Amino acid sequence: MKIAVDAMGGDFAPDEIVKGVELARDNDSSVEFVLYGQTDQINQLLKNKQNISIVQADEVISMEDEPVKAVRQKKNSSLVMAAQAVKDQEADAFFSAGNTGAVLAAGLFVIGRIKGIDRPGLTTTLPVINTENGQFVMLDVGANADTKPANMYQYALMGKFYAENVMHIDNPRIGLLNNGTEADKGDMNHRKVHDLLAENTDLNFVGNVESRDLLNGVADVVVTDGFTGNAVLKGIEGTALAMMKLLKSAVVDGGLKAKLGALMLKDGLKGMANQMDYSKHGGAVLLGLNAPVVKTHGSSKAETVSNTMAQIKVILASGLVEQLKDYVTENKEQLEEIKMTTKK
Amino acid sequence: MKIAVDAMGGDFAPDEIVKGVELARDNDSSVEFVLYGQTDQINQLLKNKQNISIVQADEVISMEDEPVKAVRQKKNSSLVMAAQAVKDQEADAFFSAGNTGAVLAAGLFVIGRIKGIDRPGLTTTLPVINTENGQFVMLDVGANADTKPANMYQYALMGKFYAENVMHIDNPRIGLLNNGTEADKGDMNHRKVHDLLAENTDLNFVGNVESRDLLNGVADVVVTDGFTGNAVLKGIEGTALAMMKLLKSAVVDGGLKAKLGALMLKDGLKGMANQMDYSKHGGAVLLGLNAPVVKTHGSSKAETVSNTMAQIKVILASGLVEQLKDYVTENKEQLEEIKMTTKK
């Protein structure tokens, strides 16, 4: 099992990436890593080369680079070289904390889609509040801005396989993010998707769900178009951050009494911050490609990098990609029919 | 100045509606109210009839009623009768805390659109965190599920007039909710809207904004399609509620120390809850109609009802509807051209 690592992507690359890889290696000796990047820098950072090899990459794709252009032009970048290694079957999975758009482009154009899947879906895991380890997945959270009903139908299938294989949820509850829970809610596209999902008896479809109820765990898999999913995810993030800011200013403006109060509440507040810290819950996975492509937050530190490597191992060990391929092959005709009937 | 009030809509109707109207009347004797509903019940609740008249309405539209059907069939409901009074120019504005879909339907089918406005936009006010009274407006948050570029362009105009007239913001910053800040972000529709808004030099268009930044006050008017706007608004609400729940359980699970801590932080936490309490910020306004149509949360109590009446008075006094009508008439050709060129 070998993971191709873009060692130069992210706000704290290569330092925290290298540290994170070593942490992951120390936790699990069954995984090998190939780091793509500046050999000199990486060599200086590495404490121990066991299970870790390095490949020189002369270029770096920055956060400011235009994604598709950068992937096409910077063939010697750490990001593209890592993706190419997966394409060439020199590695089994791809990891980066770099430019999200470039990760999506490299996944799509270098590693490639599973035959029969029309659009990959960016999949993220979010916490269910007031549960020990409750989580749900949501996709697509931004791989595609323009989405057809057939794409969302495929997201539901991918999400189901992810929830079963990686999160070990039996018969996961699949919900469609919509602007009301009634069956006839939504725009034309979402109404079509609702009916497609309701017709497939293989799916444990629980109907439409509203974004108000997501963090309460209303579904295990939340299916959404990439435009809405992206906006809702960022809305959730922004609100959680805003609430933490408000709490902080309540402490600062509150004088000594409030400061003492915060000190006494400290453990509980820390637990709250942890629950809302998405980085703890691993990276976003681009599902529907020929191999796992995983992206963590640009601000990820070593611990998050290491957690994400563990997540990738679970994905690889579960055979998610192979199962999805088999399913798509077996249901080829049905998927084609859905595409044809929902085209316009 | 006369407001037609659906006295039977909302979780606490008619009690809290009647109380709220009396509170508003006590605060401002220049406004008259006509309450539509069960005369007996309302009479029993009313302490003082000054500036308040009652009209018997035999039917009630419930939260469970299918909105469009209910508005067509229950002609004698308090909601439809109040709307009809505005249509017949017996009142200047409409208020309800009832079935949102029915309020939208009554606004659209009974009171009617401003000529030249194709779709009304449901407009809500949200707080900017860590400011004294900072607010922004967002529209459409759910009047329409299927939205064309020309509709969003019109939302920007309506939002601008609302921010100027009702919130007294000079030259309000208008942002387009999108999945990235760059000019070329978004699906086909949002790209078109971006370019339309950028071309209109009358507008202080600040470009695309992301939902992550909304509560930080990135724009005074946030333009969005009703599907995304609805999902983002509910996502913000759900996350704020989830954070409050987490905070509460941090206190409960944290034992005596945490309870003491919370007690010491109490004032600050209360301030936080207030800032995130949307009901304090008045009702949602359906803009683009021939008269102000305002809907408050179903759970509104008297104070919120009274605040919303004050908001309606500001809308009426500002001449918002008339100004919007004039603008649309003056720019008729341009608006028609936008509709034609962005049809597909």
Side-chain angles (χ1 to χ4, degrees), chain A residues 1-5 32-34 36 53 55 80-94 291:
Chain A
M1 205 177 276
K2 199 181 268 186
I3 301 174
V5 178
E32 288 179 70
F33 302 91
V34 193
Y36 293 81
S53 54
V55 176
V80 173
M81 286 181 71
Q84 189 63 45
V86 176
K87 165 77 179 173
D88 298 340
Q89 300 190 317
E90 289 162 17
D92 305 300
F94 169 95

Side-chain angles (χ1 to χ4, degrees), chain B residues 140-342:
Chain B
D140 172 31
V141 295
N144 306 291
D146 288 287
T147 307
K148 297 201 179 78
N151 302 138
M152 282 192 257
Y153 180 79
Q154 294 177 3
Y155 298 158
L157 299 176
M158 298 190 244
K160 173 187 160 73
F161 278 104
Y162 190 86
E164 283 177 347
N165 286 28
V166 182
M167 299 163 75
H168 310 295
I169 299 171
D170 278 339
N171 202 20
R173 295 164 301 146
I174 296 170
L176 176 66
L177 187 65
N178 210 327
N179 59 2
T181 54
E182 300 88 342
D184 62 348
K185 281 285 180 176
D187 59 12
M188 302 294 277
N189 276 351
H190 287 82
R191 287 187 205 197
K192 284 182 192 167
V193 178
H194 177 281
D195 294 346
L196 290 172
L197 295 176
E199 275 165 27
N200 184 339
T201 49
D202 287 351
L203 299 176
N204 181 11
F205 181 53
V206 296
N208 292 327
V209 299
E210 295 190 273
S211 52
R212 186 187 285 134
D213 302 317
L214 296 183
L215 297 177
N216 295 321
V218 72
D220 302 308
V221 176
V222 174
V223 174
T224 173
D225 67 281
F227 191 86
T228 311
N230 188 269
V232 167
L233 178 67
K234 287 175 180 165
I236 289 173
E237 284 179 355
T239 309
L241 284 174
M243 297 287 284
M244 295 305 286
K245 264 192 224 167
L246 278 177
L247 196 58
K248 264 185 202 157
S249 60
V251 172
V252 172
D253 302 344
L256 185 63
K257 213 170 80 173
K259 281 184 191 70
L260 279 173
L263 205 65
M264 288 179 173
L265 251 174
K266 201 177 145 204
D267 292 340
L269 295 180
K270 214 169 162 184
M272 173 169 154
N274 276 342
Q275 273 208 46
M276 294 313 291
D277 184 352
Y278 305 133
S279 64
K280 290 258 158 93
H281 300 272
V285 185
L286 192 59
L287 287 177
L289 301 180
N290 283 313
V293 167
V294 181
K295 158 80 176 75
T296 54
H297 265 280
S299 59
S300 296
K301 299 268 188 126
E303 198 192 335
T304 305
V305 173
S306 171
N307 288 343
T308 307
M309 296 303 172
Q311 179 193 9
I312 296 175
K313 192 202 158 169
V314 175
I315 297 174
L316 284 173
S318 76
L320 169 64
V321 171
E322 291 71 23
Q323 284 187 30
L324 191 56
K325 276 183 185 171
D326 289 347
Y327 186 93
V328 172
T329 307
E330 279 163 27
N331 295 275
K332 200 181 150 189
E333 281 168 28
Q334 189 212 355
L335 289 170
E336 277 300 321
E337 197 193 315
I338 283 172
K339 258 159 68 179
M340 296 308 292
T341 54
T342 58

Side-chain angles (χ1 to χ4, degrees), chain A residues 66 129-130 142 144-146 177-180 184-191 210-213 215-216 224-228 230-247 249-251 253-254 256-265 267-269 271-272 275-276 278 297 344, chain B residues 66 129-130 142 144-146 177-180 184-191 210-213 215-216 224-228 230-247 249-251 253-254 256-265 267-269 271-272 275-276 278 297 344:
Chain A
E66 200 284 303
I129 61 150
N130 283 338
N144 306 290
D146 288 287
L177 187 65
N178 210 326
N179 59 3
D184 62 348
K185 280 285 179 176
D187 58 11
M188 302 294 277
N189 276 351
H190 286 82
R191 287 189 206 196
E210 294 189 273
S211 53
R212 185 187 286 135
D213 302 317
L215 298 177
N216 294 322
T224 173
D225 67 282
F227 192 86
T228 311
N230 188 269
V232 167
L233 178 67
K234 287 173 180 166
I236 290 175
E237 284 179 355
T239 309
L241 284 174
M243 296 287 284
M244 295 305 284
K245 264 193 223 166
L246 277 178
L247 196 58
S249 61
V251 172
D253 302 344
L256 184 63
K257 212 170 80 173
K259 280 185 192 70
L260 279 173
L263 205 64
M264 288 182 173
L265 251 175
D267 293 339
L269 295 180
M272 172 168 154
Q275 274 207 46
M276 294 313 292
Y278 306 133
H297 265 281
K344 240 291 43 121
Chain B
E66 200 284 304
I129 61 150
N130 283 337
N144 306 291
D146 288 287
L177 187 65
N178 210 327
N179 59 2
D184 62 348
K185 281 285 180 176
D187 59 12
M188 302 294 277
N189 276 351
H190 287 82
R191 287 187 205 197
E210 295 190 273
S211 52
R212 186 187 285 134
D213 302 317
L215 297 177
N216 295 321
T224 173
D225 67 281
F227 191 86
T228 311
N230 188 269
V232 167
L233 178 67
K234 287 175 180 165
I236 289 173
E237 284 179 355
T239 309
L241 284 174
M243 297 287 284
M244 295 305 286
K245 264 192 224 167
L246 278 177
L247 196 58
S249 60
V251 172
D253 302 344
L256 185 63
K257 213 170 80 173
K259 281 184 191 70
L260 279 173
L263 205 65
M264 288 179 173
L265 251 174
D267 292 340
L269 295 180
M272 173 169 154
Q275 273 208 46
M276 294 313 291
Y278 305 133
H297 265 280
K344 245 291 28 120

Side-chain angles (χ1 to χ4, degrees), chain A residues 33-46:
Chain A
F33 302 91
V34 193
L35 306 188
Y36 293 81
Q38 295 293 336
T39 312
D40 290 357
Q41 278 188 61
I42 296 170
N43 264 323
Q44 276 189 352
L45 293 164
L46 263 186

Side-chain angles (χ1 to χ4, degrees), chain A residues 280-339:
Chain A
K280 289 259 158 97
H281 299 274
V285 185
L286 192 58
L287 286 178
L289 301 180
N290 283 313
V293 167
V294 182
K295 159 80 176 75
T296 54
H297 265 281
S299 59
S300 295
K301 299 268 187 122
E303 198 192 334
T304 304
V305 172
S306 171
N307 288 343
T308 308
M309 295 304 173
Q311 180 193 9
I312 296 176
K313 192 203 158 168
V314 175
I315 298 175
L316 285 172
S318 76
L320 169 65
V321 172
E322 291 71 23
Q323 285 186 30
L324 192 55
K325 276 184 184 171
D326 289 346
Y327 186 92
V328 172
T329 308
E330 279 162 27
N331 294 276
K332 201 181 149 191
E333 281 167 29
Q334 189 214 355
L335 290 169
E336 277 301 320
E337 198 194 315
I338 284 172
K339 259 159 68 179

